[in-house]
Amino acid sequence: QDSIWASNVNYISGFIPSQTMEVNAKIRYKASPSPAIVTPHGDWVEIKFHEPQRAITPGQAVVFYADNEVLGGGVIEGLLLDQ
């Protein structure tokens, strides 16, 4: 799947972006970061990966980065369908 949503998002800087942003995101600790677009919605986000991801698991963490800097992360709640 290529689109998920995550809750309980924590932005490391404390600043909640108001628009979509290009990031690299990881859905597993040992996974390589994958290019994605994050769309913030307050305390939850939509994440649309450029390439489908395997084994997206609700309850796991997703973390997103700009270059090597952690921007934030949250808890995967589920897939976004019909995107």
Side-chain angles (χ1 to χ4, degrees):
Q1 299 293 327
D2 67 353
S3 298
I4 62 173
W5 73 282
S7 67
N8 297 315
V9 176
N10 181 23
Y11 295 95
I12 303 304
S13 70
F15 171 75
I16 299 173
S18 61
Q19 57 189 355
T20 62
M21 58 188 154
E22 280 283 335
V23 299
N24 287 308
K26 289 174 62 168
I27 59 171
R28 284 181 301 285
Y29 173 72
K30 292 186 178 186
S32 297
S34 297
I37 296 173
V38 170
T39 304
H41 297 280
D43 66 346
W44 70 279
V45 294
E46 296 176 47
I47 300 174
K48 180 162 179 63
F49 291 95
H50 294 306
E51 299 290 329
Q53 302 295 298
R54 290 177 21 125
I56 294 172
T57 307
Q60 297 281 11
V62 59
V63 179
F64 39 95
Y65 304 81
D67 298 318
N68 290 327
E69 179 183 351
V70 175
L71 297 175
V75 177
I76 298 171
E77 294 293 341
L79 304 174
L80 285 173
L81 303 175
D82 299 321
Q83 295 293 306

